[in-house]
Amino acid sequence: LREPHLALYGGEDGLDLFRAMLESCSANLADGGYILCEIGFRQGDDAIRVSAEYGFECELLTDLGGNPRIAKMKRRI
């Protein structure tokens, strides 16, 4: 399988696709819904910051090695 170009080359901090997804989902996410997104193990702090900029709370879920790997986001009420 091939990753989309934007997923591999996501801008200066690697989160351009992340931002686009949050922007799109912010108007379409059902009440109580979550967004789950895989992140690079060094992107946790940035994922939290960017999520907050779009009005989402972000919880980081770890992989078996204890590295942040999934951003679980819910719109702030």
Side-chain angles (χ1 to χ4, degrees), residues 9-36:
Y9 304 99
E12 190 172 316
D13 63 0
L15 293 172
D16 285 357
L17 181 61
F18 192 78
R19 285 182 183 88
M21 179 187 60
L22 288 172
E23 185 172 330
S24 174
C25 291
S26 63
N28 299 305
L29 187 65
D31 289 344
Y34 288 91
I35 302 168
L36 298 169

Side-chain angles (χ1 to χ4, degrees), residues 40-73:
F41 72 95
R42 292 185 180 132
Q43 292 179 315
D45 291 339
D46 289 333
I48 290 170
R49 177 183 50 77
V50 171
S51 296
E53 291 171 4
Y54 284 86
F56 288 84
E57 295 176 8
C58 181
E59 175 186 356
L60 300 178
L61 307 177
T62 58
D63 62 17
L64 294 175
N67 299 304
R69 191 57 75 179
I70 301 291
K72 179 181 175 184
M73 296 158 286

